[in-house]
């Protein structure tokens, strides 16, 4: 099992909290292969943490995060997603 942490910068302050809630809910409803998902806002960054047992490089999660940002962002913004950490869980 892997715990993957991602960040996306440049999130507009006016939409960050709602966007984080929407993304957390979307992952819980539509991505049963991702576990313990939480999306939060810290300053101008969205932070996503999720656990799964197959994505050792975080590439699938990056793609899913990007799709959800595009789907739920109320304002266009040019943020970059970066992999912060992958922790192998026992």
């Amino acid at each position: 099992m892997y715990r993957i942490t991602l960040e996306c910068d440049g999130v507009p302050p006016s939409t960050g909290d709602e966007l984080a809630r929407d993304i957390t809910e979307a992952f819980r409803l539509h991505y049963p292969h991702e576990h313990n998902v939480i999306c939060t806002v810290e300053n101008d960054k969205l932070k996503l943490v999720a656990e799964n047992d197959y994505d050792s490089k975080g590439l699938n999660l990056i793609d899913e995060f990007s799709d959800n940002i595009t789907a739920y962002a109320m304002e266009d913004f040019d943020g970059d997603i970066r992999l912060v950490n992958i922790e192998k869980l026992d």
Side-chain angles (χ1 to χ4, degrees):
M1 184 75 76
Y2 304 96
R3 180 176 298 132
I4 303 165
T5 303
L6 306 176
E7 284 184 346
C8 178
D9 62 8
V11 178
S14 60
T15 63
D17 289 332
E18 183 176 357
L19 182 57
R21 284 191 301 272
D22 289 345
I23 289 172
T24 298
E25 186 64 17
F27 269 90
R28 288 184 179 158
L29 291 174
H30 305 294
Y31 298 87
H33 53 282
E34 305 292 357
H35 306 283
N36 301 319
V37 177
I38 184 100
C39 186
T40 58
V41 174
E42 296 176 8
N43 300 319
D44 70 338
K45 293 183 175 89
L46 277 177
K47 180 178 178 181
L48 182 77
V49 179
E51 296 174 358
N52 63 51
D53 61 358
Y54 66 92
D55 194 12
S56 64
K57 295 184 180 179
L59 299 177
N60 189 69
L61 189 61
I62 290 170
D63 188 48
E64 292 170 345
F65 191 30
S66 176
D67 290 347
N68 278 276
I69 290 169
T70 300
Y72 292 102
M74 301 302 279
E75 296 178 40
D76 287 339
F77 67 93
D78 189 24
D80 292 319
I81 296 173
R82 71 180 186 94
L83 177 64
V84 175
N85 189 45
I86 297 177
E87 178 184 357
K88 181 143 176 55
L89 305 174
D90 294 327

